[in-house]
Amino acid sequence: MSPVRPRGPVRRRLLPKPRVLIGSLLLVLFVGVLVVQAYINSEFKADHVETEVGDQDGVPLAIRGGGPIINTTGGQESSSRMPEHTIALTFDDGPDPTWTPKILDVLKENDAHGTFFVVGSEVARHPALTKKITDGGNELGLHTFTHPNLQLLAPWRRTLELSQTQVAIARATGVHTNLARFPYSSKANAIDDTNWKLVKDAGQEGYLVVVNDLDSEDWQLPGVAQIERNATPAGDTSAVVLFHDAGGDRAQTVAALRRFIPKMKERGYRFTTVTEGLNQSIAVSKKAVPALPENPEAPTADVWRGSAVIWTVRAADGMLWLIAGLFLVVGFLTIGRTLLLLLLATRHARQRRKPDWSWGPPVTDPVSVIVPAYNEKEGIEAAVRSLAGGDYPTIEVVVVDDGSTDGTAAIVERMGMPGVRVVRVPNGGKSNALNTGIALAKHDLIVTVDGDTIFEKDSIRNLVQAFADPTVGAVAGNVKVGNREKMVAAWQHIEYVIGFNLDRRLYEVLNCMPTVPGAIGAFRREALAQVGGISDETLAEDTDVTMALCRAGWRVVYEERAKAWTEAPTTLEQLYRQRYRWSYGTMQAMWKHRRALRDSGPSGRFGRVGLPFLALFGVALPMLAPVVDIMLLYGLVFWELQETLIAWFGMLMLQLFTAAVAFRFDRESMVPLWRLPLQQFAYRQLMYLVLMQSFTTAMTGGRLRWHKLHRAGLVQRSEMLDMPQAPVAPPLDTVPSTHDAARPLDHPAAGRAVARPAVPSQTRDPEDLPSAGSPPGGGSGPVYTG
């Protein structure tokens, strides 16, 4: 046993790892942007709720019976009206890029001006349009930032609603306004005690509160004639008239204004802004009150603050548009992938089930089974018994003990089963163990098996029948989860059934199978020799060699009847470690074989079909899938609950249908599918993190260590398969040498495996482990740990 490198004292980390810290900061920033987006779109539940007029005992009669311009600044309590034959046109809820310019055109055509009470969030979205309002001689007023019912808000947010709108106007137009109008306000006689408090609070902040004399009710779309009647003052009285330039289809408003303004001018009315009309009223009254400035210049501080507000709104809008766009992309990709899976996988399944279908003449050539094992004492005995007890005519089992420290090799030796050999090698990695086993194997049909995997009696026989076709270089078997009782393992069972019975069928039809699983796969020795054996250049050696075979022109097929039972991780931590390694290794393999994109022949076909398909549906789609959950949470909190739930359940039904098809193909019970909805709330999110961390590791050149998964052994599964019980033999006195094999070491598939020096796992430094470097796929071979 190699000496263990002494370790120094364990130091407690005071700060989180940089990746964790950066990830947390990005998450906080992302959530913050979504909250801002929800806020500026007025999607909190308190919005859009009108209240009835309450008690008015505290409202002075001079206010309730007075004019629409209410002044509570400096402790005053007064109101004013427009002078005679004067109409102040006011427009709420804008600016709107469609209707505000049309209304401005009508005002300009009729030499009239108006007062636009703008919503701050819309000002931030359309600053140039807001500037166009003031450039046309019109006036701006505040209509809050998100159009909430101010009665339902805390005082701090009421202040924020006005101040944010003020600074947004300052940045967009360079002006300041003293006018404010509350959403859902009406006439002076409708002010109750609650609203009176809001009016006085606004006065303390220096604002004149403007209500209306007449409401055109254009928001109800009553028709052009009715809007015109609603806006027409009785007799020759003056009026502040309410219109809307946003919030829906305002075509009737535009048409009504084209008729209303000329008609009222013919009756002797003039049209002014609110401030202009108020100054005229002050002048007529001959009060010693200074005239109010119209659109005064904004303070520099407000302009700078407004810049921050506008850029925040733009960032939030951009983020939401990005998420919405990605959501559509995910939806199209998911539906497209599902249709493609169902179409091609169903065609594949139907072809295989034809009575006259076969691979060709029965294959009975002897088979060598290679079992690389590192610390597999829990499951190695059951695995070896299942392999040696198969119903295939000639089976040689070669267990390559890769420097185990738990007596794995001794367990196999004591079994004393015929046709089973044990080879001990220093710990050098799974690829080295596989290459050693292949070099020492006696036969040309090679089956590779993980040390924790149990075969059914007919698995090897079914697996190698595909070699009746001389173009087949490798066969992928059907991996089944044996310990599916626990929830985490049951989720993996569902994933395995879908992955093997739909994905692999699809890949076979497209002739671009990316992976022959390490748990059960078969190879021609000739094919392995052609691609140089099992490479140690990636963490996913099974994916790497499969891609190499496809590029070399060999067919890689799927045999659903060849089943192998494996032990899946039972905790989320173990699952994370396993999938992290798989995902990272797959990305390494894709990068390693990227030149296939430019090749011709079989390599080019794989590069232009297999690699893009894997990149799109194996990496990009899973990495974009979180937008589904983001939109779900966002919709549940800020959007319509019913529509959000309908969309989410639609996606779930699509998944359930796809899973049911896969389970039917594999003749599996549908009972486990009740766990699929629960899978949406833990398992999928874990897979997101796995892919994102794998991608980050690959892009940043991080180093990934191998982790040994805890094994309990598939005892119950091995008993169900009725494995043969061999007599227990005494321990062997000598360990078989790697030079005792029938095949010479200079065989093409043996060169790399035996010639490469191995590094004991106990002394392997973390810095020696494979790195993504610049591209994924670089670095030296990993230490195999199961």
Side-chain angles (χ1 to χ4, degrees):
M1 179 176 178
S2 302
V4 178
R5 172 175 293 186
R7 296 187 179 184
V10 178
R11 296 181 180 180
R12 185 176 182 183
R13 183 182 290 274
L14 298 179
L15 295 174
K17 295 180 179 180
R19 281 183 301 177
V20 176
L21 182 61
I22 293 174
S24 300
L25 291 175
L26 289 175
L27 179 62
V28 171
L29 177 63
F30 182 72
V31 172
V33 169
L34 287 182
V35 171
V36 170
Q37 169 56 230
Y39 168 64
I40 63 179
N41 280 303
S42 189
E43 284 161 358
F44 288 105
K45 299 305 181 184
D47 293 355
H48 311 303
V49 179
E50 298 187 51
T51 56
E52 298 293 333
V53 176
D55 190 5
Q56 295 181 302
D57 292 344
V59 183
L61 290 175
I63 299 298
R64 281 187 285 163
I69 306 171
I70 302 170
N71 181 9
T72 59
T73 61
Q76 304 178 66
E77 293 183 357
S78 63
S79 65
S80 302
R81 297 183 182 275
M82 293 288 99
E84 293 183 358
H85 285 87
T86 302
I87 294 176
L89 299 174
T90 62
F91 303 92
D92 285 6
D93 298 347
D96 181 276
T98 300
W99 301 110
T100 301
K102 296 180 184 299
I103 290 174
L104 290 175
D105 290 342
V106 173
L107 295 178
K108 185 177 180 180
E109 291 168 6
N110 291 276
D111 192 24
H113 299 107
T115 301
F116 290 76
F117 289 92
V118 293
V119 177
S121 59
E122 295 306 311
V123 172
R125 292 186 175 104
H126 312 291
L129 179 56
T130 308
K131 183 72 164 57
K132 185 177 180 180
I133 294 175
T134 58
D135 289 347
N138 301 288
E139 184 180 30
L140 295 177
L142 308 183
H143 199 48
T144 72
F145 196 79
T146 63
H147 203 274
N149 188 330
L150 295 182
Q151 299 181 42
L152 307 178
L153 301 184
W156 68 268
R157 190 181 163 195
R158 293 200 296 265
T159 300
L160 196 65
E161 287 284 334
L162 297 178
S163 64
Q164 285 180 323
T165 308
Q166 187 72 267
V167 297
I169 290 174
R171 177 63 183 86
T173 66
V175 305
H176 178 88
T177 180
N178 298 309
L179 306 180
R181 174 179 282 170
F182 303 152
Y184 313 113
S185 61
S186 180
K187 301 177 181 180
N189 60 10
I191 297 176
D192 57 16
D193 292 347
T194 301
N195 280 296
W196 177 237
K197 182 180 184 304
L198 302 182
V199 172
K200 290 193 294 182
D201 289 344
Q204 291 177 2
E205 297 180 25
Y207 294 110
L208 300 177
V209 176
V210 180
V211 289
N212 65 81
D213 292 308
L214 296 173
D215 184 354
S216 69
E217 297 186 1
D218 57 346
W219 55 275
Q220 296 193 55
L221 304 179
V224 173
Q226 186 60 46
I227 292 175
E228 186 180 350
R229 283 192 292 271
N230 293 338
T232 301
D236 295 330
T237 59
S238 62
V240 173
V241 185
L242 171 62
F243 291 90
H244 294 84
D245 63 328
D249 185 346
R250 296 293 170 244
Q252 292 184 10
T253 302
V254 174
L257 286 170
R258 278 204 168 94
R259 294 170 50 175
F260 177 71
I261 296 175
K263 177 181 177 180
M264 299 310 295
K265 281 190 172 184
E266 289 177 359
R267 289 177 51 180
Y269 278 89
R270 62 180 179 272
F271 291 86
T272 69
T273 64
V274 169
T275 298
E276 182 185 357
L278 178 60
N279 287 333
Q280 291 176 4
S281 294
I282 294 173
V284 170
S285 66
K286 298 181 180 181
K287 294 181 180 179
V289 179
L292 294 176
E294 186 174 336
N295 292 334
E297 184 178 355
T300 303
D302 283 0
V303 174
W304 283 104
R305 289 171 58 200
S307 297
V309 169
I310 289 177
W311 280 108
T312 300
V313 171
R314 288 178 177 176
D317 283 346
M319 179 67 73
L320 188 62
W321 276 107
L322 176 63
I323 295 174
L326 292 176
F327 181 78
L328 292 177
V329 170
V330 170
F332 284 127
L333 288 178
T334 301
I335 295 173
R337 177 180 179 271
T338 301
L339 293 176
L340 198 61
L341 279 172
L342 295 177
L343 177 65
L344 297 184
T346 301
R347 190 176 77 178
H348 179 278
R350 287 177 178 174
Q351 181 182 8
R352 291 287 180 86
R353 290 180 181 178
K354 291 180 179 179
D356 58 344
W357 184 89
S358 71
W359 291 108
V363 175
T364 58
D365 296 347
V367 171
S368 293
V369 181
I370 312 302
V371 187
Y374 174 79
N375 288 350
E376 296 285 359
K377 67 177 183 179
E378 292 85 1
I380 192 65
E381 181 175 354
V384 171
R385 290 191 189 282
S386 71
L387 296 169
D391 62 5
Y392 195 73
T394 305
I395 301 175
E396 174 198 30
V397 179
V398 181
V399 179
V400 183
D401 183 87
D402 191 32
S404 298
T405 59
D406 66 347
T408 296
I411 293 174
V412 180
E413 289 165 351
R414 285 195 294 268
M415 293 172 65
M417 299 191 72
V420 177
R421 288 191 292 153
V422 178
V423 178
R424 285 187 172 93
V425 295
N427 180 257
K430 184 176 182 181
S431 58
N432 183 71
L434 285 168
N435 283 327
T436 300
I438 293 168
L440 300 176
K442 299 176 181 179
H443 309 303
D444 289 330
L445 295 185
I446 306 295
V447 173
T448 59
V449 184
D450 286 341
D452 65 325
T453 304
I454 295 173
F455 273 34
E456 295 184 354
K457 280 185 174 294
D458 60 354
S459 293
I460 294 178
R461 173 168 54 83
N462 288 327
L463 187 66
V464 300
Q465 294 308 306
F467 291 124
D469 183 343
T471 65
V472 173
V475 186
N478 190 354
V479 182
K480 313 293 290 182
V481 174
N483 57 328
R484 59 182 72 168
E485 293 79 15
K486 293 188 176 181
M487 183 66 75
V488 174
W491 285 338
Q492 294 170 80
H493 164 56
I494 296 172
E495 182 185 39
Y496 275 46
V497 172
I498 296 174
F500 279 96
N501 286 282
L502 292 182
D503 289 352
R504 275 177 170 74
R505 294 178 192 272
L506 170 67
Y507 286 129
E508 182 182 332
V509 172
L510 296 178
N511 196 22
C512 59
M513 185 80 69
T515 304
V516 171
I520 177 171
F523 303 87
R524 290 185 191 273
R525 183 187 294 275
E526 176 189 357
L528 289 175
Q530 183 178 347
V531 298
I534 308 296
S535 170
D536 65 354
E537 295 176 344
T538 72
L539 292 181
E541 69 287 326
D542 48 4
T543 299
D544 189 359
V545 71
T546 307
M547 289 182 176
L549 292 173
C550 289
R551 294 182 65 188
W554 291 97
R555 284 186 63 206
V556 181
V557 298
Y558 169 58
E559 178 49 75
E560 63 191 85
R561 298 170 299 174
K563 298 179 181 179
W565 298 83
T566 189
E567 182 178 359
T570 55
T571 67
L572 292 178
E573 180 182 5
Q574 291 179 358
L575 178 64
Y576 188 94
R577 290 179 175 181
Q578 181 196 68
R579 297 308 174 86
Y580 183 23
R581 172 165 55 86
W582 287 3
S583 299
Y584 182 70
T586 299
M587 292 178 188
Q588 284 182 310
M590 292 171 62
W591 183 263
K592 176 183 175 181
H593 294 280
R594 67 191 183 279
R595 289 184 177 84
L597 291 166
R598 302 191 301 270
D599 287 346
S600 58
S603 179
R605 186 183 188 283
F606 176 79
R608 288 182 286 275
V609 177
L611 284 182
F613 200 90
L614 188 60
L616 190 62
F617 295 109
V619 178
L621 179 57
M623 287 187 67
L624 293 176
V627 301
V628 176
D629 294 334
I630 293 171
M631 295 299 282
L632 170 65
L633 294 176
Y634 190 82
L636 290 176
V637 177
F638 302 122
W639 283 348
E640 296 296 331
L641 178 63
Q642 182 177 351
E643 285 78 357
T644 300
L645 290 177
I646 290 174
W648 185 81
F649 276 112
M651 296 290 288
L652 179 60
M653 290 301 104
L654 185 63
Q655 293 182 53
L656 279 171
F657 177 73
T658 304
V661 172
F663 270 65
R664 185 174 180 273
F665 284 166
D666 209 28
R667 297 180 175 86
E668 283 278 358
S669 168
M670 299 286 181
V671 173
L673 290 181
W674 71 264
R675 293 182 170 97
L676 186 60
L678 300 177
Q679 194 181 44
Q680 314 303 308
F681 301 104
Y683 189 85
R684 284 201 311 134
Q685 287 71 24
L686 189 71
M687 296 301 102
Y688 301 159
L689 296 176
V690 165
L691 274 169
M692 290 177 182
Q693 187 172 0
S694 300
F695 184 78
T696 302
T697 303
M699 291 298 102
T700 59
R703 297 178 181 272
L704 178 60
R705 299 194 64 176
W706 286 71
H707 300 280
K708 171 67 179 173
L709 297 178
H710 173 74
R711 303 292 189 189
L714 295 175
V715 178
Q716 294 180 349
R717 178 60 56 185
S718 63
E719 292 173 351
M720 289 171 58
L721 296 177
D722 190 23
M723 294 176 185
Q725 303 296 316
V728 177
L732 300 180
D733 295 330
T734 59
V735 177
S737 168
T738 57
H739 296 277
D740 294 337
R743 189 167 300 280
L745 292 178
D746 59 356
H747 187 276
R752 298 178 61 215
V754 181
R756 186 187 300 110
V759 181
S761 63
Q762 292 85 357
T763 60
R764 178 64 69 94
D765 189 274
E767 293 301 316
D768 296 330
L769 293 175
S771 167
S774 297
S780 58
V783 175
Y784 174 53
T785 56

